[in-house]
Amino acid sequence: MGVSSGSRKLREAARIILVGAPGVGKGTQSERLMRRYPQLASISTGDLLRDNVRDKTLLGLQAESLIKSGSLVPDPLILDLILRELTSRNWLSTSRLNTNIVSAISQRSRSSSCAVEPSQDPESSFILDGFPRTATQADSLSRLLPMNLVLHLVTPAEIILSRMATRWVHASSGRVYNIGFNDPKVAGIDDITGEKLVQREDDTEETWRKRLAKFEETSSGLLNFYKEKQPATVVVVRGNSSDEISPQIFEEVERRFA
Ligand code: AP5
Ligand code: MG
């Protein structure tokens, strides 16, 4: 993949958010970060939603048409989803939260402090890919668990569009391939599981343009939230490909947490 391998150790707990246009490479960078720093884990709300659609859960049924049309899933549903995921992975203790987690978030949102003390253990490091996506989501998250690095990935839209048609994914893990750039070892097959790769239903040009418009509409509020509240955590990383972006991200993570 053109990026030097070899795993490294984090000495500080990293809680990283990836922000960027659809197809900019959030999933790709998450995978590369986890390979380089095995203490990192990642949550992609897009992948979680697609799992729910595939499993035909109530959330999946509510989210399916929104995802297909390039719209965002409503904040309360996403907050519910992410809170369940954070607690099931033990990244967030539920002991001080209400049983009704959505109302717990809104109650927390009215208080000024954080719900839980974040772990200082570097083994509790993680990446959030695609969450938060709105200022409301960022505000709710900040009341629960403060993030300490916000990476804003920037690639020109036309470059991203040109590679969307050749993106293939492994549905259950979210692993990403791109024909001619990051090919699977066997065409159409996931390297790790041997299962079939698929193309995402929202990767048509028309839907991608709608997702991009949504990103442009919501991301300035999201980024302004962090620029105002915790400016030292926001870093813009520019590049025309994931290979240009990865070394810059690695340097930033190394400097802050390794
Ligand atoms: P989500 O799954 O998060 O989609 P997205 O943000 O649109 O981002 P993508 O996953 O499409 O792209 P990516 O940035 O991960 O890039 P990747 O690395 O795969 O969300 C889907 C939907 O779920 C949303 O539209 C919304 O409806 C809903 N949703 C999710 N979270 C939500 C939230 N918090 N609130 C509300 N709704 C939410 O791809 C990059 C590609 O480029 C790869 O193919 C890579 O190999 C390729 N690449 C990189 N460099 C090169 C190169 N030099 N040459 C060729 N290819 C290259
Ligand atoms: Mg992704």
Side-chain angles (χ1 to χ4, degrees), residues 20-29 44-47 49-50 63 66-68 70-75 78 129-134 137 163-164 166-169 174 176-182 200 202-203 208 211 240-243:
V24 72
K26 301 181 291 294
T28 302
Q29 299 301 340
S44 154
T45 37
D47 288 345
L49 286 168
R50 283 184 286 278
L66 293 165
I67 296 174
K68 260 191 208 160
S71 308
L72 290 187
V73 173
D75 288 337
I78 290 292
D129 159 1
F131 176 88
R133 240 174 168 96
T134 63
Q137 292 179 9
R163 64 198 194 198
M164 293 319 285
T166 46
R167 173 167 75 169
W168 288 77
V169 293
V176 182
Y177 300 87
N178 197 286
I179 306 311
F181 171 66
N182 169 27
R200 275 172 43 179
D202 60 352
D203 269 353
W208 179 82
R211 285 155 62 204
N240 286 350
S241 85
S242 301
D243 285 350

Side-chain angles (χ1 to χ4, degrees), residues 153-164:
L153 315 185
V154 183
T155 297
E158 293 313 311
I159 292 183
I160 299 179
L161 178 59
S162 70
R163 64 198 194 198
M164 293 319 285

Side-chain angles (χ1 to χ4, degrees), residues 25-224:
K26 301 181 291 294
T28 302
Q29 299 301 340
S30 296
E31 280 172 42
R32 290 178 175 186
L33 275 166
M34 288 190 289
R35 224 175 300 134
R36 188 173 172 95
Y37 302 101
Q39 293 148 296
L40 279 170
S42 122
I43 293 182
S44 154
T45 37
D47 288 345
L48 289 177
L49 286 168
R50 283 184 286 278
D51 290 346
N52 275 273
V53 170
R54 212 179 28 250
D55 297 345
K56 297 193 167 30
T57 66
L58 179 60
L59 171 63
L61 296 172
Q62 289 168 303
E64 187 168 15
S65 59
L66 293 165
I67 296 174
K68 260 191 208 160
S69 69
S71 308
L72 290 187
V73 173
D75 288 337
L77 296 183
I78 290 292
L79 290 166
D80 190 355
L81 175 74
I82 198 88
L83 196 45
R84 283 177 199 284
E85 191 66 20
L86 290 172
T87 48
S88 78
R89 293 191 189 210
N90 286 328
W91 294 347
L92 196 61
S93 151
T94 45
S95 57
R96 295 175 57 199
L97 296 172
N98 264 332
T99 41
N100 180 335
I101 53 182
V102 177
S103 83
I105 290 177
S106 52
Q107 282 173 18
R108 292 292 160 189
S109 297
R110 282 196 285 276
S111 78
S112 56
S113 59
C114 228
V116 288
E117 270 302 305
S119 167
Q120 302 303 322
D121 181 357
E123 299 296 327
S124 316
S125 296
F126 62 86
I127 307 165
L128 297 181
D129 159 1
F131 176 88
R133 240 174 168 96
T134 63
T136 306
Q137 292 179 9
D139 189 36
S140 298
L141 177 65
S142 74
R143 313 282 173 184
L144 291 165
L145 204 54
M147 298 294 114
N148 53 15
L149 180 58
V150 179
L151 291 169
H152 178 199
L153 315 185
V154 183
T155 297
E158 293 313 311
I159 292 183
I160 299 179
L161 178 59
S162 70
R163 64 198 194 198
M164 293 319 285
T166 46
R167 173 167 75 169
W168 288 77
V169 293
H170 175 240
S172 59
S173 70
R175 252 185 305 283
V176 182
Y177 300 87
N178 197 286
I179 306 311
F181 171 66
N182 169 27
D183 290 274
K185 289 180 187 135
V186 179
I189 301 292
D190 177 47
D191 288 353
I192 312 284
T193 62
E195 289 167 355
K196 274 195 175 160
L197 300 176
V198 295
Q199 288 202 287
R200 275 172 43 179
E201 283 189 277
D202 60 352
D203 269 353
T204 62
E205 174 168 351
E206 192 194 353
T207 308
W208 179 82
R209 287 199 184 276
K210 286 189 195 149
R211 285 155 62 204
L212 179 66
K214 215 10 136 191
F215 172 74
E216 286 170 349
E217 184 188 317
T218 52
S219 58
S220 52
L222 169 67
L223 291 163
N224 284 341

